Amino acid sequence: MSSQRSSFRRKEKPAFERFKDHCRHFTAFMFSNVGIILLVTFYIIGGAFIFQRIEIFEYERLKSEKPHRFVARNFSGECLSRIWELTAENISFFDHHAYRRRVNDVLLDYQRAIVKKQLKGPDVEQWSFSGAFLYSLTVITTIGYGNITPHSEWGKLVTILYAIIGMPLFLLYLSNIGDVLAKSFKWIYSKVCLCRICPGVAKRRIIRERRKMRQLARALQMHDMENARGSSSYSSTSSATSSNSSSSEYTRSSRQSSSLVDIPYTESDSDIEREIRGSTDEITVPVTVCVFVMVGYILWGALLFGRWEDWNYLDGSYFCLISLSSIGFGDLVPGDRVITADRDKVEVSFILCAIYLLLGMAVIAMCFNLMQEQVVHNIRAIKRAFKACFRCRTS
């Protein structure tokens, strides 16, 4: 009993080694599929809290130190006063062209002030939790609507650091989740679309592949026989060793080609079903199916945002396409129904908006991955066809 206890104590690892093992397991979990989703989610939530506190604190500080900057200016009244002063100075209209030029300058200044005020937007109302969350999301996804921007120096500095860390993290999220979605969608497509809904398509595909393999085997056998005949007639005056090597090569190639030709041509349902199940991992999803998935996801988002934001179907589709492609013009953004003026209030529609964008970019990555596999498969098929054509011509 004492020997067992001593051996158990000797096998127990030190505390530092156990700590390293736990850190290694935690790191592996955080960069797994589930861990990367949680990491991106908490990273966006943490960034929302950070940006909200920084901008609100900076706003309160400037408001207490420089209150004159936050007094609402009457741009229309100032413009009318300046025009009236110019009119009073030129009451006789002695220089009519100079008067019009100065009035035009006053009107241009008024237009620039109004545009600057509209682009700047509200000072602190935009930094509610919903607005800060949307800002963090658009930073790491590189959408960048531009309707919410930091005005403080600390906010700009934190944005730089946040983007440097967040963008590679989001690319890792797209790579992992897009690959998982691609494998899952390929499995569903191979099991459902090719086996249960339309089994005749899978049966014809298997028969077509068998016929192609048989034709290729016959062509290879004829080509090897022609080469063997030409080499035997050419090497009749050579030594016995070369004739033995050519005969061995001929017998080896004939055995390989005969093994390909002897493929059983059975069309029973059991054999075809067995081949279908064995080749589901090698199925490529057609490009039309991927395009249909992307268009369907965009139209579904257009329906949702049209209900939340009172947009028409065209504006909703336009917003979804611009957002999911990370173009982000910023002319249409989630507005009054999603970003609330309350700093601590979070709308359910806003949560669904964030989930739609995160999941949608992963779906787009999945579709691009599947389309890339289909294009590579078609290019390889064309390459094999060209090789077969040139081989037949040379033979």
Side-chain angles (χ1 to χ4, degrees):
M1 191 70 181
S2 59
S3 60
Q4 291 181 357
R5 290 181 180 178
S6 61
S7 62
F8 179 74
R9 290 176 182 175
R10 285 195 300 268
K11 291 179 181 179
E12 186 178 359
K13 293 183 179 180
F16 184 70
E17 293 293 333
R18 293 199 304 270
F19 176 74
K20 289 201 309 184
D21 291 338
H22 290 312
C23 291
R24 192 180 299 110
H25 291 315
F26 178 75
T27 305
F29 171 75
M30 291 305 296
F31 286 95
S32 62
N33 296 326
V34 178
I36 199 68
I37 295 175
L38 296 176
L39 191 61
V40 170
T41 303
F42 286 114
Y43 189 78
I44 296 174
I45 294 175
F49 280 112
I50 292 173
F51 288 116
Q52 185 184 17
R53 299 308 176 198
I54 289 175
E55 292 300 322
I56 290 177
F57 176 78
E58 190 69 16
Y59 174 80
E60 298 293 340
R61 186 183 66 83
L62 290 177
K63 190 175 182 180
S64 60
E65 293 180 358
K66 300 177 181 179
H68 62 277
R69 293 182 55 182
F70 299 92
V71 177
R73 294 176 57 185
N74 188 5
F75 294 104
S76 301
E78 293 178 2
C79 178
L80 293 176
S81 299
R82 292 177 62 184
I83 293 176
W84 174 254
E85 291 175 0
L86 292 176
T87 305
E89 292 176 1
N90 297 274
I91 193 65
S92 60
F93 295 100
F94 179 73
D95 193 352
H96 183 69
H97 295 287
Y99 172 76
R100 293 185 61 181
R101 185 172 62 252
R102 295 175 67 180
V103 170
N104 287 333
D105 293 338
V106 173
L107 293 176
L108 287 175
D109 293 338
Y110 171 72
Q111 293 176 2
R112 293 191 185 98
I114 295 297
V115 171
K116 184 177 180 180
K117 180 181 178 182
Q118 294 296 327
L119 290 177
K120 185 178 180 182
D123 292 319
V124 72
E125 287 81 4
Q126 63 179 356
W127 289 106
S128 61
F129 179 78
S130 302
F133 190 94
L134 182 64
Y135 175 75
S136 303
L137 180 64
T138 56
V139 168
I140 68 171
T141 56
T142 67
I143 296 176
Y145 290 128
N147 63 322
I148 302 176
T149 55
H151 299 292
S152 62
E153 295 181 355
W154 278 104
K156 296 175 182 178
L157 179 61
V158 172
T159 300
I160 295 173
L161 299 177
Y162 188 79
I164 290 175
I165 301 174
M167 286 191 293
L169 181 63
F170 187 74
L171 292 177
L172 182 62
Y173 161 80
L174 288 182
S175 177
N176 288 2
I177 305 304
D179 186 57
V180 171
L181 291 178
K183 292 180 179 178
S184 303
F185 187 80
K186 188 189 297 184
W187 183 84
I188 294 172
Y189 176 79
S190 61
K191 296 295 183 182
V192 176
C193 296
L194 295 183
C195 294
R196 296 181 181 177
I197 295 179
C198 47
V201 176
K203 183 176 181 180
R204 288 193 297 270
R205 178 175 57 82
I206 295 297
I207 295 174
R208 195 184 309 115
E209 290 180 357
R210 289 180 178 179
R211 188 179 297 113
K212 288 181 180 179
M213 290 178 62
R214 188 172 290 101
Q215 292 177 357
L216 180 61
R218 289 197 182 98
L220 288 175
Q221 186 178 11
M222 294 298 294
H223 179 66
D224 293 338
M225 291 175 63
E226 293 292 335
N227 290 337
R229 290 174 183 174
S231 60
S232 61
S233 61
Y234 175 76
S235 60
S236 58
T237 59
S238 60
S239 62
T241 58
S242 62
S243 62
N244 293 330
S245 62
S246 62
S247 61
S248 61
E249 290 179 358
Y250 173 74
T251 54
R252 189 184 302 112
S253 61
S254 61
R255 288 176 182 175
Q256 292 177 355
S257 59
S258 61
S259 62
L260 288 175
V261 173
D262 294 336
I263 297 175
Y265 190 74
T266 59
E267 297 185 4
S268 61
D269 295 336
S270 59
D271 295 338
I272 293 176
E273 184 69 21
R274 191 180 303 110
E275 291 196 23
I276 290 174
R277 291 178 180 177
S279 61
T280 50
D281 295 334
E282 301 177 359
I283 294 294
T284 57
V285 181
V287 177
T288 54
V289 176
C290 299
V291 173
F292 178 77
V293 171
M294 289 190 293
V295 172
Y297 194 84
I298 290 173
L299 295 180
W300 177 62
L303 182 63
L304 294 180
F305 284 101
R307 181 174 299 177
W308 295 336
E309 299 293 333
D310 293 332
W311 294 338
N312 56 29
Y313 212 70
L314 179 60
D315 290 339
S317 303
Y318 171 77
F319 168 76
C320 293
L321 178 62
I322 294 301
S323 299
L324 296 179
S325 59
S326 71
I327 297 175
F329 288 131
D331 50 350
L332 288 177
V333 294
D336 298 333
R337 299 289 185 88
V338 176
I339 302 176
T340 59
D342 191 357
R343 297 181 185 179
D344 299 325
K345 186 178 180 181
V346 180
E347 295 288 342
V348 177
S349 58
F350 167 75
I351 299 176
L352 296 178
C353 170
I355 294 175
Y356 176 82
L357 293 178
L358 288 175
L359 182 61
M361 300 190 79
V363 169
I364 297 297
M366 175 200 76
C367 293
F368 283 143
N369 190 1
L370 295 175
M371 288 191 291
Q372 180 183 1
E373 291 181 0
Q374 178 66 20
V375 170
V376 170
H377 177 75
N378 293 337
I379 291 175
R380 288 177 179 175
I382 294 173
K383 184 179 178 181
R384 289 194 299 267
F386 273 111
K387 285 184 177 179
C389 291
F390 287 126
R391 189 181 295 113
C392 292
R393 289 183 179 180
T394 54
S395 61

